[in-house]
Amino acid sequence: IIFLKKKESRLSRRNACAIIAVMKKLNELLTIYIERMDIMKPELRQRISGFIDRNKALFLLSYFAIYLPWFGHLEKTVTTHFHVIHTALDDYIPFCEYFIIPYLLWFGYVGWGIGYFYLKDRSEYFRLCAMLFTGMTIFLIVSTIYPNGHYLRPTTFARDNIFVHIVKWLYASDTATNLFPSIHVYNSIAVNIAVWRSDAFKHKHAMRCGSAILMVSIILSTMFLKQHSVFDVVTGIIMAVFMYMLVYVQNPARMTAGERKYERKLHQI
């Protein structure tokens, strides 16, 4: 029995020594890891800072991570209980399925505007994003506080062609709610303003006129497809005018030194 007890005590001492040795080794490894991390931290920070500096203009597009879920939530929740939007002029505007072409071109038009000015004209890109995202946020707030919709869409169609089928698909995928101010109208005006103000298109009259024609076609399409009321279009135009005055129209005589410095930085980015 004494022999067994001695053996057990030896084993326990060995185990204790082994555990202590492992703990020491882990402590050494942890110390080395911490030292290396301290060395890497400045370099890591520098890399992250450099990446942000190179791509800060692109980070503006993270706004869509806020806009899309918010808009999606409104589309799901605002379906039956809403304020009906209607004007007398809406009843005089006929349905015309061919306007589905400029209506869908809106997506490419706005996407092209953002992409082009990001690559070619950073100062105009920042202004365009400021105008787009501010107006889109106002639209979300209005739709949240004042749920709205209309009953303008036709239930039957006089013709049966590919354009009517596309319109039917649009009606099925897009609810007749969350209408004003019309983002189709507002964003089209914003992109057209950027095109006409940019030095890149100063002598490209065909591009400027083409942009203006497409903008007008998109605005008309919202009413001829019965996607929007005249009221939505008018409020979209009013908001665009207001935001244009806020974002673009600046009197150099009234600008502070800080604002002039900011303007110079915009042209350098």
Side-chain angles (χ1 to χ4, degrees):
I1 293 169
I2 293 168
F3 174 75
L4 288 172
K5 285 181 178 179
K6 286 181 178 179
K7 193 172 183 181
E8 287 175 2
S9 64
R10 283 176 193 157
L11 287 170
S12 62
R13 280 198 298 272
R14 285 177 185 173
N15 289 338
C17 289
I19 291 168
I20 291 168
V22 170
M23 291 297 291
K24 283 182 177 180
K25 190 67 177 175
L26 287 172
N27 187 50
E28 289 175 6
L29 291 172
L30 185 61
T31 303
I32 293 169
Y33 176 76
I34 291 170
E35 287 175 354
R36 287 183 178 177
M37 283 298 292
D38 288 339
I39 293 169
M40 289 175 67
K41 273 179 183 177
E43 185 182 349
L44 188 63
R45 283 198 211 98
Q46 196 171 19
R47 286 181 181 178
I48 294 171
S49 178
F51 178 79
I52 291 171
D53 285 340
R54 289 192 302 272
N55 299 279
K56 57 188 174 183
L58 198 60
F59 283 130
L60 275 176
L61 301 183
S62 61
Y63 169 79
F64 287 102
I66 299 170
Y67 177 83
L68 293 175
W70 192 345
F71 179 72
H73 172 73
L74 290 172
E75 286 287 280
K76 290 178 181 177
T77 54
V78 183
T79 54
T80 53
H81 301 289
F82 53 76
H83 300 87
V84 178
I85 306 299
H86 180 265
T87 68
L89 286 174
D90 295 326
D91 300 329
Y92 292 96
I93 299 173
F95 170 82
C96 182
E97 68 270 22
Y98 302 112
F99 274 98
I100 191 66
I101 297 172
Y103 187 87
L104 294 180
L105 283 176
W106 173 84
F107 294 95
Y109 183 51
V110 175
W112 168 83
I114 293 172
Y116 178 86
F117 289 111
Y118 170 76
L119 295 172
K120 301 293 185 179
D121 190 342
R122 287 293 173 86
S123 62
E124 201 60 52
Y125 167 80
F126 282 114
R127 289 190 180 90
L128 175 61
C129 286
M131 187 165 178
L132 289 176
F133 300 160
T134 304
M136 290 161 72
T137 304
I138 292 170
F139 157 76
L140 291 173
I141 293 170
V142 170
S143 298
T144 302
I145 296 172
Y146 189 82
N148 56 86
H150 68 59
Y151 296 109
L152 298 174
R153 290 176 174 179
T155 54
T156 58
F157 300 91
R159 293 172 291 277
D160 184 20
N161 52 48
I162 188 171
F163 302 106
V164 170
H165 289 294
I166 298 172
V167 171
K168 288 180 179 179
W169 166 82
L170 175 65
Y171 286 179
S173 58
D174 184 25
T175 65
T177 57
N178 310 307
L179 303 172
F180 83 92
S182 170
I183 290 302
H184 252 71
V185 171
Y186 177 82
N187 283 5
S188 300
I189 295 172
V191 173
N192 186 61
I193 288 171
V195 169
W196 277 74
R197 284 186 58 90
S198 175
D199 291 336
F201 297 104
K202 197 170 185 180
H203 303 292
K204 296 180 180 179
H205 302 293
M207 282 292 294
R208 296 172 82 179
C209 291
S211 174
I213 291 168
L214 181 57
M215 175 197 69
V216 173
S217 300
I218 291 170
I219 292 171
L220 292 175
S221 74
T222 63
M223 293 179 286
F224 280 96
L225 290 177
K226 300 301 179 180
Q227 279 289 91
H228 285 281
S229 164
V230 173
F231 176 79
D232 310 328
V233 173
V234 171
T235 52
I237 293 171
I238 291 171
M239 185 168 72
V241 171
F242 173 77
M243 286 306 303
Y244 171 76
M245 299 296 291
L246 196 65
V247 174
Y248 286 94
V249 179
Q250 298 182 34
N251 186 345
R254 294 182 180 179
M255 289 174 66
T256 64
E259 288 173 334
R260 284 193 291 270
K261 185 178 179 182
Y262 174 72
E263 282 291 308
R264 287 194 298 271
K265 283 184 176 180
L266 276 180
H267 289 283
Q268 292 171 0
I269 292 174

